[in-house]
Amino acid sequence: MTVYTTIDSPLGELLLAGEKSATATGGTALASLSVPGQKRGATVQDGWTEDPAAFAAIASQIAAYFEGTLTRFDIEYVASGSDFRRQVWQALEAIPYGKTCSYGEIATQIGASRAAVRAVGTAIGANPLLVVRPCHRVIGANGALTGYAGGLERKQQLLLLEGATREA
């Protein structure tokens, strides 16, 4: 059963969707975190149940992140995506708070060729967990802010919050 809630944030109202889980802290595994106007963002579906209490532990971590007191999330996620996407998303989770890397560097980290940069970008764009799976930390090879499903203004806002610098 899919449960959901919305929470306020500096990025606007966030939509959190998840599934009940016996192993997740707070009892809910996160399936999606969307921002208003997000490309391919989740929307509440028929049959979903609103349950703010189910997301209390997750919401607490998100609030701490925006307050600048949390630099790494400890949230169980609902498994999704192809093997390739999961590899890319795992690489995203390894980018340290306050650091950035390029799409090409992600391709190299997962053992894909530099020619796979476009496929890496597509996988990053399909990330259903904005903010908590830090796709905002991936930038162009020239250091430019490129591609963020939540909008480049939000990407910049998140990087500024983190005091992001280029990963060596």
Side-chain angles (χ1 to χ4, degrees):
M1 169 176 63
T2 300
V3 292
Y4 77 95
T5 195
T6 58
I7 60 172
D8 290 329
S9 83
L11 303 179
E13 185 178 72
L14 304 179
L15 172 62
L16 284 65
E19 303 288 334
K20 296 290 186 175
S21 168
T23 58
T25 303
T28 302
L30 190 63
S32 175
L33 188 158
S34 300
V35 299
Q38 175 183 332
K39 293 177 191 170
R40 297 175 301 280
T43 57
V44 176
Q45 303 294 309
D46 289 339
W48 287 15
T49 302
E50 187 170 12
D51 188 355
F55 294 93
I58 295 168
S60 177
Q61 288 189 53
I62 292 168
Y65 168 80
F66 283 117
E67 291 165 1
T69 60
L70 182 80
T71 60
R72 185 161 182 82
F73 292 97
D74 183 19
I75 296 172
E76 182 179 312
Y77 304 133
V78 173
S80 67
S82 67
D83 288 343
F84 180 77
R85 284 183 176 179
R86 287 194 302 273
Q87 281 185 299
V88 171
W89 296 343
Q90 185 175 10
L92 293 178
E93 292 171 13
I95 304 169
Y97 179 93
K99 300 292 181 188
T100 62
C101 72
S102 72
Y103 295 88
E105 289 165 333
I106 294 287
T108 299
Q109 286 174 27
I110 66 168
S113 71
R114 286 282 193 177
V117 169
R118 193 173 294 265
V120 166
T122 299
I124 291 171
N127 173 20
L129 299 166
L130 296 192
V131 182
V132 298
R133 184 181 287 143
C135 53
H136 59 274
R137 296 180 188 154
V138 182
I139 59 175
N142 63 358
L145 297 187
T146 59
Y148 186 64
L152 291 180
E153 325 74 48
R154 289 189 179 110
K155 183 173 191 165
Q156 182 174 24
Q157 189 176 357
L158 291 168
L159 293 173
L160 287 171
L161 169 75
E162 296 184 5
T165 60
R166 187 78 174 103
E167 179 76 315

